[in-house]
Coordinates of all heavy atoms in Angstrom, one line a residue:
M23 N 23.1 -7.1 -5.1 CA 22.1 -7.7 -4.3 C 20.8 -7.8 -5.1 O 20.4 -6.9 -5.7 CB 21.9 -6.9 -3.0 CG 20.9 -7.5 -2.1 SD 20.9 -6.7 -0.5 CE 22.6 -7.0 0.0
S24 N 20.2 -9.0 -5.1 CA 19.0 -9.2 -5.9 C 17.7 -8.5 -5.2 O 17.7 -8.4 -4.0 CB 18.7 -10.6 -6.1 OG 18.2 -11.2 -5.0
K25 N 16.7 -8.2 -6.0 CA 15.5 -7.6 -5.5 C 14.8 -8.6 -4.6 O 14.2 -8.2 -3.6 CB 14.6 -7.2 -6.6 CG 15.2 -6.0 -7.4 CD 14.3 -5.6 -8.5 CE 15.0 -4.5 -9.3 NZ 14.2 -4.1 -10.5
S26 N 14.8 -9.9 -4.9 CA 14.1 -10.8 -4.0 C 14.7 -10.9 -2.7 O 14.0 -11.0 -1.7 CB 14.0 -12.2 -4.7 OG 15.4 -12.7 -4.9
L27 N 16.0 -10.8 -2.6 CA 16.7 -10.7 -1.3 C 16.3 -9.4 -0.5 O 16.1 -9.5 0.7 CB 18.2 -10.8 -1.4 CG 18.8 -12.1 -1.8 CD1 20.3 -12.0 -1.9 CD2 18.5 -13.1 -0.7
D28 N 16.2 -8.3 -1.2 CA 15.8 -7.1 -0.6 C 14.4 -7.2 0.0 O 14.1 -6.8 1.1 CB 15.8 -5.9 -1.6 CG 17.2 -5.5 -2.0 OD1 18.1 -5.9 -1.4 OD2 17.3 -4.8 -3.0
L29 N 13.5 -7.8 -0.8 CA 12.1 -7.9 -0.3 C 12.0 -8.8 0.9 O 11.3 -8.5 1.9 CB 11.2 -8.5 -1.4 CG 10.8 -7.6 -2.5 CD1 10.1 -8.4 -3.6 CD2 9.9 -6.5 -2.0
C30 N 12.9 -9.8 1.0 CA 12.9 -10.7 2.1 C 13.4 -10.1 3.4 O 13.1 -10.4 4.5 CB 13.7 -12.0 1.8 SG 12.9 -13.0 0.6
R31 N 14.3 -9.0 3.2 CA 14.9 -8.4 4.3 C 13.9 -7.4 5.0 O 14.1 -7.0 6.1 CB 16.1 -7.6 3.8 CG 17.2 -8.5 3.3 CD 18.4 -7.7 2.8 NE 19.1 -7.1 4.0 CZ 20.0 -6.2 3.9 NH1 20.4 -5.8 2.7 NH2 20.6 -5.8 5.0
L32 N 12.9 -7.0 4.3 CA 11.9 -6.1 4.9 C 10.9 -6.9 5.8 O 10.4 -7.9 5.4 CB 11.1 -5.3 3.9 CG 11.8 -4.3 3.0 CD1 10.8 -3.7 2.0 CD2 12.5 -3.3 3.8
T33 N 10.7 -6.3 7.0 CA 9.6 -6.9 7.9 C 8.3 -6.6 7.3 O 8.1 -5.8 6.4 CB 9.7 -6.4 9.3 OG1 9.4 -5.0 9.3 CG2 11.1 -6.6 9.9
K34 N 7.3 -7.3 7.8 CA 5.9 -7.0 7.4 C 5.5 -5.5 7.6 O 4.9 -4.9 6.7 CB 4.9 -7.9 8.1 CG 3.5 -7.7 7.7 CD 2.6 -8.7 8.5 CE 1.1 -8.4 8.1 NZ 0.2 -9.2 8.9
R35 N 5.9 -5.0 8.7 CA 5.6 -3.6 9.0 C 6.3 -2.6 8.1 O 5.8 -1.7 7.6 CB 5.9 -3.3 10.5 CG 5.5 -1.9 10.9 CD 4.1 -1.6 10.8 NE 3.4 -1.8 12.0 CZ 2.1 -1.7 12.3 NH1 1.3 -1.4 11.3 NH2 1.6 -1.9 13.4
E36 N 7.6 -2.9 7.8 CA 8.4 -2.1 6.9 C 7.7 -2.1 5.5 O 7.7 -1.1 4.9 CB 9.8 -2.6 6.8 CG 10.6 -2.3 8.1 CD 11.9 -3.0 8.1 OE1 12.1 -4.0 7.4 OE2 12.8 -2.6 8.9
T37 N 7.3 -3.3 5.1 CA 6.6 -3.4 3.8 C 5.3 -2.5 3.8 O 5.0 -1.8 2.8 CB 6.3 -4.9 3.5 OG1 7.5 -5.6 3.5 CG2 5.6 -5.0 2.1
E38 N 4.6 -2.5 4.9 CA 3.4 -1.7 5.0 C 3.7 -0.2 4.9 O 3.0 0.5 4.2 CB 2.7 -1.9 6.3 CG 1.9 -3.2 6.5 CD 1.3 -3.3 7.9 OE1 2.1 -3.4 8.9 OE2 0.1 -3.4 7.9
I39 N 4.8 0.2 5.5 CA 5.3 1.5 5.5 C 5.6 1.9 4.0 O 5.2 3.0 3.5 CB 6.5 1.8 6.4 CG1 6.2 1.4 7.9 CG2 7.1 3.2 6.2 CD1 5.3 2.4 8.6
V40 N 6.4 1.1 3.4 CA 6.7 1.3 2.0 C 5.5 1.5 1.1 O 5.4 2.4 0.3 CB 7.7 0.2 1.4 CG1 7.8 0.3 -0.1 CG2 9.0 0.2 2.1
Q41 N 4.5 0.6 1.3 CA 3.3 0.7 0.5 C 2.6 2.0 0.7 O 2.0 2.6 -0.2 CB 2.4 -0.5 0.8 CG 2.9 -1.8 0.3 CD 2.2 -3.0 0.9 OE1 1.8 -3.0 2.1 NE2 2.1 -4.1 0.1
N42 N 2.5 2.4 2.0 CA 1.8 3.6 2.3 C 2.6 4.9 1.7 O 1.9 5.8 1.3 CB 1.7 3.8 3.8 CG 0.5 3.0 4.3 OD1 -0.7 3.4 4.2 ND2 0.7 1.8 4.8
I43 N 3.9 4.8 1.8 CA 4.7 5.9 1.2 C 4.4 6.0 -0.3 O 4.1 7.1 -0.9 CB 6.2 5.7 1.4 CG1 6.5 5.9 2.9 CG2 7.0 6.6 0.6 CD1 7.9 5.5 3.3
A44 N 4.4 4.8 -0.9 CA 4.2 4.8 -2.4 C 2.8 5.2 -2.8 O 2.6 5.7 -4.0 CB 4.5 3.4 -2.9
T45 N 1.8 5.1 -1.9 CA 0.5 5.5 -2.3 C 0.2 7.0 -1.9 O -0.9 7.4 -2.0 CB -0.6 4.6 -1.7 OG1 -0.4 4.4 -0.3 CG2 -0.5 3.2 -2.4
G46 N 1.3 7.7 -1.4 CA 1.1 9.1 -1.2 C 0.9 9.5 0.3 O 0.7 10.7 0.5
Y47 N 0.9 8.6 1.2 CA 0.7 9.0 2.6 C 1.9 9.7 3.2 O 3.0 9.3 2.9 CB 0.3 7.8 3.5 CG -1.1 7.3 3.2 CD1 -1.3 6.2 2.3 CD2 -2.1 7.8 3.9 CE1 -2.6 5.7 2.1 CE2 -3.4 7.3 3.7 CZ -3.6 6.3 2.8 OH -4.9 5.8 2.6
R48 N 1.7 10.7 4.0 CA 2.7 11.4 4.7 C 3.0 10.6 6.0 O 2.1 9.8 6.4 CB 2.3 12.8 5.1 CG 2.1 13.7 3.9 CD 1.5 15.1 4.3 NE 0.2 14.8 4.9 CZ -0.3 15.7 5.8 NH1 0.2 16.8 6.0 NH2 -1.5 15.4 6.3
N49 N 4.1 10.9 6.6 CA 4.4 10.2 7.9 C 3.3 10.2 8.9 O 3.0 9.3 9.6 CB 5.8 10.7 8.5 CG 7.0 10.3 7.6 OD1 6.8 9.7 6.6 ND2 8.1 10.8 8.0
K50 N 2.8 11.4 9.1 CA 1.7 11.6 10.0 C 0.5 10.8 9.7 O -0.1 10.2 10.6 CB 1.3 13.1 10.0 CG 0.3 13.5 11.1 CD -0.3 14.9 10.9 CE 0.8 15.9 10.8 NZ 0.2 17.3 10.7
D51 N 0.2 10.7 8.4 CA -1.0 9.9 8.0 C -0.7 8.4 8.2 O -1.6 7.6 8.6 CB -1.3 10.1 6.5 CG -1.6 11.6 6.3 OD1 -2.3 12.2 7.1 OD2 -1.2 12.1 5.2
I52 N 0.5 8.0 7.9 CA 0.9 6.6 8.1 C 0.8 6.2 9.6 O 0.2 5.1 9.9 CB 2.3 6.3 7.6 CG1 2.4 6.5 6.0 CG2 2.8 4.9 7.9 CD1 3.8 6.5 5.5
A53 N 1.3 7.1 10.4 CA 1.2 6.8 11.9 C -0.2 6.7 12.3 O -0.6 5.7 13.1 CB 1.9 8.0 12.6
R54 N -1.1 7.5 11.9 CA -2.5 7.5 12.3 C -3.1 6.2 11.8 O -3.8 5.5 12.5 CB -3.2 8.7 11.7 CG -4.5 9.1 12.4 CD -5.1 10.4 12.0 NE -4.1 11.5 12.1 CZ -3.9 12.4 11.2 NH1 -4.6 12.4 10.1 NH2 -3.0 13.4 11.4
K55 N -2.8 5.9 10.5 CA -3.5 4.7 9.9 C -3.0 3.4 10.5 O -3.8 2.5 10.7 CB -3.1 4.7 8.4 CG -3.7 3.6 7.6 CD -3.3 3.7 6.1 CE -3.8 2.5 5.3 NZ -3.4 2.5 4.0
L56 N -1.7 3.3 10.9 CA -1.2 2.1 11.5 C -1.2 2.1 13.1 O -0.8 1.2 13.7 CB 0.2 1.9 11.0 CG 0.4 1.7 9.5 CD1 1.8 1.5 9.2 CD2 -0.5 0.5 9.0
N57 N -1.8 3.2 13.6 CA -1.9 3.4 15.1 C -0.5 3.3 15.8 O -0.4 2.5 16.8 CB -2.9 2.4 15.6 CG -3.4 2.8 17.0 OD1 -3.5 4.0 17.3 ND2 -3.7 1.8 17.8
I58 N 0.4 4.0 15.2 CA 1.8 4.1 15.8 C 2.2 5.6 15.9 O 1.5 6.4 15.2 CB 2.8 3.2 15.1 CG1 2.9 3.7 13.6 CG2 2.5 1.8 15.2 CD1 4.0 2.9 12.8
K59 N 3.2 5.9 16.6 CA 3.7 7.2 16.6 C 4.4 7.6 15.4 O 5.1 6.8 14.7 CB 4.6 7.4 17.9 CG 3.9 7.2 19.2 CD 4.9 7.4 20.3 CE 4.2 7.1 21.6 NZ 3.7 8.2 22.3
E60 N 4.4 8.9 15.1 CA 5.1 9.4 13.9 C 6.6 9.2 14.0 O 7.2 8.8 13.0 CB 4.8 10.9 13.7 CG 5.3 11.5 12.4 CD 4.9 12.9 12.1 OE1 4.1 13.5 12.9 OE2 5.4 13.5 11.1
K61 N 7.1 9.3 15.2 CA 8.6 9.0 15.4 C 8.9 7.5 15.0 O 9.9 7.2 14.4 CB 9.0 9.3 16.8 CG 10.4 8.9 17.2 CD 11.4 9.8 16.5 CE 12.8 9.4 16.9 NZ 13.8 9.7 16.0
T62 N 8.0 6.6 15.3 CA 8.1 5.2 15.0 C 8.2 5.0 13.5 O 9.0 4.3 12.9 CB 7.0 4.4 15.6 OG1 7.0 4.6 17.0 CG2 7.2 2.9 15.3
V63 N 7.3 5.8 12.8 CA 7.3 5.7 11.3 C 8.6 6.2 10.8 O 9.2 5.5 9.9 CB 6.2 6.6 10.7 CG1 6.3 6.7 9.2 CG2 4.8 6.0 11.1
K64 N 9.2 7.3 11.3 CA 10.5 7.8 10.9 C 11.6 6.7 11.2 O 12.5 6.6 10.3 CB 10.8 9.1 11.6 CG 9.9 10.2 11.2 CD 10.2 11.5 11.9 CE 9.2 12.6 11.5 NZ 9.5 13.8 12.3
N65 N 11.5 6.0 12.3 CA 12.5 5.0 12.6 C 12.4 3.9 11.5 O 13.4 3.3 11.1 CB 12.3 4.5 14.0 CG 12.7 5.4 15.0 OD1 13.4 6.4 14.8 ND2 12.2 5.2 16.2
Y66 N 11.2 3.5 11.2 CA 11.0 2.4 10.2 C 11.6 2.9 8.8 O 12.2 2.1 8.1 CB 9.5 2.1 10.0 CG 9.0 1.1 11.0 CD1 8.0 1.4 11.8 CD2 9.5 -0.2 11.0 CE1 7.5 0.5 12.7 CE2 9.0 -1.2 11.9 CZ 8.0 -0.8 12.8 OH 7.5 -1.7 13.6
I67 N 11.3 4.2 8.5 CA 11.9 4.7 7.2 C 13.4 4.7 7.2 O 14.0 4.3 6.2 CB 11.3 6.1 6.9 CG1 9.8 6.0 6.6 CG2 12.0 6.7 5.7 CD1 9.1 7.3 6.6
T68 N 14.0 5.0 8.3 CA 15.5 5.0 8.4 C 15.9 3.5 8.2 O 16.9 3.3 7.5 CB 15.9 5.5 9.8 OG1 15.5 6.9 9.9 CG2 17.4 5.4 10.0
S69 N 15.3 2.6 8.8 CA 15.6 1.2 8.6 C 15.4 0.7 7.2 O 16.3 0.0 6.6 CB 14.7 0.3 9.6 OG 15.0 -1.1 9.4
I70 N 14.4 1.1 6.6 CA 14.1 0.8 5.2 C 15.2 1.3 4.3 O 15.7 0.6 3.4 CB 12.7 1.3 4.7 CG1 11.6 0.5 5.5 CG2 12.5 1.2 3.2 CD1 10.2 1.2 5.5
H71 N 15.5 2.6 4.4 CA 16.6 3.2 3.6 C 17.9 2.4 3.8 O 18.6 2.1 2.8 CB 16.8 4.6 4.1 CG 15.8 5.6 3.6 ND1 15.7 6.9 4.0 CD2 14.8 5.5 2.7 CE1 14.7 7.5 3.4 NE2 14.1 6.6 2.6
S72 N 18.2 2.0 5.0 CA 19.4 1.3 5.3 C 19.4 -0.1 4.6 O 20.4 -0.5 4.0 CB 19.6 1.2 6.8 OG 20.8 0.4 7.1
K73 N 18.3 -0.8 4.8 CA 18.2 -2.2 4.3 C 18.3 -2.2 2.8 O 18.8 -3.2 2.2 CB 17.0 -2.9 4.8 CG 17.0 -3.3 6.2 CD 15.7 -4.0 6.6 CE 15.8 -4.5 8.0 NZ 14.6 -5.3 8.4
L74 N 17.6 -1.2 2.1 CA 17.5 -1.2 0.7 C 18.6 -0.4 0.0 O 18.5 -0.3 -1.2 CB 16.1 -0.8 0.3 CG 14.9 -1.6 0.8 CD1 13.6 -1.0 0.4 CD2 15.1 -3.1 0.4
F75 N 19.4 0.2 0.8 CA 20.5 1.1 0.2 C 19.9 2.2 -0.6 O 20.3 2.5 -1.7 CB 21.5 0.3 -0.6 CG 22.1 -0.8 0.1 CD1 21.7 -2.1 0.0 CD2 23.1 -0.6 1.1 CE1 22.2 -3.2 0.7 CE2 23.7 -1.7 1.8 CZ 23.2 -3.0 1.6
L76 N 18.8 2.8 0.0 CA 18.2 3.9 -0.7 C 18.3 5.2 0.2 O 18.5 5.1 1.4 CB 16.7 3.7 -0.8 CG 16.3 2.4 -1.6 CD1 14.8 2.1 -1.6 CD2 16.8 2.5 -3.1
E77 N 18.3 6.4 -0.5 CA 18.5 7.6 0.3 C 17.3 8.5 0.4 O 17.3 9.3 1.3 CB 19.7 8.4 -0.4 CG 21.0 7.6 -0.3 CD 22.2 8.4 -1.0 OE1 22.0 9.6 -1.3 OE2 23.2 7.8 -1.1
T78 N 16.4 8.4 -0.5 CA 15.3 9.3 -0.6 C 13.9 8.6 -0.6 O 13.8 7.4 -0.9 CB 15.3 10.2 -1.8 OG1 15.1 9.4 -3.0 CG2 16.7 10.9 -1.9
R79 N 12.9 9.4 -0.2 CA 11.5 8.9 -0.3 C 11.2 8.5 -1.7 O 10.5 7.5 -1.9 CB 10.6 10.0 0.3 CG 9.3 9.5 0.7 CD 8.5 10.7 1.3 NE 7.3 10.3 1.9 CZ 7.1 9.9 3.2 NH1 8.1 9.9 4.0 NH2 5.9 9.5 3.6
Y80 N 11.6 9.3 -2.6 CA 11.3 9.1 -4.1 C 11.9 7.7 -4.4 O 11.2 6.9 -5.1 CB 11.9 10.2 -4.9 CG 11.8 9.9 -6.4 CD1 10.5 10.0 -7.0 CD2 12.8 9.4 -7.2 CE1 10.4 9.8 -8.4 CE2 12.7 9.1 -8.5 CZ 11.5 9.3 -9.1 OH 11.3 9.0 -10.4
Q81 N 13.1 7.4 -4.0 CA 13.7 6.1 -4.3 C 12.9 4.9 -3.7 O 12.7 3.9 -4.3 CB 15.1 6.0 -3.8 CG 16.1 6.8 -4.6 CD 17.5 6.9 -4.0 OE1 17.6 6.9 -2.8 NE2 18.5 6.8 -4.9
V82 N 12.3 5.1 -2.5 CA 11.4 4.1 -1.9 C 10.2 3.9 -2.8 O 9.7 2.8 -3.0 CB 11.1 4.6 -0.5 CG1 10.0 3.6 0.1 CG2 12.3 4.6 0.4
I83 N 9.6 5.0 -3.3 CA 8.4 4.9 -4.1 C 8.7 4.1 -5.4 O 8.0 3.2 -5.8 CB 7.9 6.3 -4.4 CG1 7.4 7.0 -3.2 CG2 6.8 6.3 -5.5 CD1 7.1 8.5 -3.3
V84 N 9.8 4.5 -6.0 CA 10.3 3.8 -7.3 C 10.5 2.3 -6.9 O 10.0 1.4 -7.7 CB 11.5 4.4 -7.9 CG1 12.1 3.5 -9.0 CG2 11.3 5.8 -8.4
Y85 N 11.1 2.0 -5.8 CA 11.3 0.6 -5.4 C 10.0 -0.1 -5.2 O 9.9 -1.3 -5.7 CB 12.1 0.6 -4.1 CG 12.3 -0.8 -3.5 CD1 13.3 -1.6 -3.8 CD2 11.3 -1.3 -2.6 CE1 13.4 -2.9 -3.3 CE2 11.4 -2.5 -2.0 CZ 12.5 -3.3 -2.4 OH 12.6 -4.6 -1.8
A86 N 9.0 0.5 -4.6 CA 7.7 -0.1 -4.4 C 7.0 -0.5 -5.7 O 6.5 -1.6 -5.8 CB 6.9 0.8 -3.5
F87 N 7.1 0.4 -6.6 CA 6.4 0.1 -7.9 C 7.2 -0.9 -8.7 O 6.6 -1.8 -9.3 CB 6.2 1.4 -8.7 CG 5.1 2.2 -8.3 CD1 5.2 3.3 -7.4 CD2 3.8 1.9 -8.7 CE1 4.1 4.0 -6.9 CE2 2.7 2.6 -8.3 CZ 2.9 3.7 -7.3
K88 N 8.5 -0.8 -8.7 CA 9.3 -1.8 -9.5 C 9.1 -3.2 -8.9 O 9.2 -4.2 -9.6 CB 10.8 -1.5 -9.4 CG 11.2 -0.4 -10.4 CD 12.7 -0.2 -10.4 CE 13.1 0.8 -11.4 NZ 14.6 0.9 -11.5
N89 N 8.9 -3.3 -7.6 CA 8.7 -4.6 -7.0 C 7.3 -5.0 -6.7 O 7.0 -5.9 -6.0 CB 9.5 -4.6 -5.7 CG 11.0 -4.7 -5.9 OD1 11.6 -5.7 -6.2 ND2 11.7 -3.5 -5.8
R90 N 6.4 -4.2 -7.4 CA 5.0 -4.5 -7.3 C 4.4 -4.6 -5.9 O 3.6 -5.5 -5.6 CB 4.6 -5.8 -8.1 CG 5.0 -5.6 -9.6 CD 4.8 -6.9 -10.4 NE 5.3 -6.6 -11.7 CZ 5.1 -7.5 -12.7 NH1 4.6 -8.6 -12.5 NH2 5.6 -7.2 -13.9
L91 N 4.8 -3.7 -5.1 CA 4.3 -3.7 -3.7 C 3.0 -2.9 -3.6 O 2.3 -2.9 -2.6 CB 5.3 -3.1 -2.7 CG 6.6 -3.9 -2.5 CD1 7.6 -3.2 -1.6 CD2 6.3 -5.3 -2.0
V92 N 2.7 -2.1 -4.7 CA 1.5 -1.4 -4.8 C 0.9 -1.7 -6.2 O 1.6 -2.0 -7.2 CB 1.8 0.2 -4.7 CG1 2.1 0.5 -3.3 CG2 2.8 0.6 -5.6
D93 N -0.4 -1.6 -6.2 CA -1.2 -1.8 -7.5 C -1.3 -0.6 -8.3 O -1.8 0.4 -7.8 CB -2.6 -2.4 -7.1 CG -3.4 -2.7 -8.3 OD1 -2.9 -2.9 -9.4 OD2 -4.7 -2.7 -8.1
I94 N -0.8 -0.6 -9.5 CA -0.8 0.6 -10.3 C -2.1 0.6 -11.2 O -2.3 1.6 -11.9 CB 0.5 0.8 -11.2 CG1 0.7 -0.5 -12.0 CG2 1.6 1.1 -10.3 CD1 1.9 -0.3 -13.0
G95 N -2.8 -0.5 -11.2 CA -4.0 -0.6 -12.0 C -5.2 0.2 -11.6 O -5.9 0.8 -12.3
G96 N -5.4 0.3 -10.2 CA -6.5 1.1 -9.7 C -7.7 0.3 -9.6 O -8.6 -0.1 -9.5

């Protein structure tokens, strides 16, 4: 499966979650920042793992950087 297809499969909110994970936010922080419940964040993460065939938070972070979902320049 190509990366571009993977990116298209994520919703806007899922992409926001991935970006926040990759920049170091914990689930609780993401929930607060996006004004949603922590359980909702966990549900999004489960969906992200499933859609992208990833198993760990670390893999999500690597995915985000490889697909330039976060700015590494600062």
Side-chain angles (χ1 to χ4, degrees):
M23 184 170 298
S24 77
K25 290 179 185 176
S26 60
L27 284 177
D28 290 345
L29 285 171
C30 293
R31 295 178 72 191
L32 293 180
T33 66
K34 180 179 177 185
R35 182 62 95 182
E36 288 167 341
T37 302
E38 287 179 298
I39 300 287
V40 169
Q41 290 168 326
N42 279 281
I43 289 170
T45 54
Y47 287 95
R48 298 173 299 158
N49 291 357
K50 184 190 311 184
D51 301 323
I52 296 169
R54 202 172 304 135
K55 183 177 177 185
L56 299 179
N57 199 29
I58 58 178
K59 295 182 185 260
E60 188 174 353
K61 174 67 176 154
T62 303
V63 173
K64 291 177 183 179
N65 290 339
Y66 276 118
I67 292 170
T68 298
S69 177
I70 291 162
H71 284 170
S72 177
K73 286 181 176 184
L74 300 178
F75 305 101
L76 303 174
E77 295 179 10
T78 67
R79 195 174 189 94
Y80 176 76
Q81 289 174 320
V82 172
I83 293 168
V84 171
Y85 173 87
F87 281 96
K88 281 187 174 181
N89 289 281
R90 299 179 182 183
L91 296 178
V92 290
D93 181 20
I94 58 174

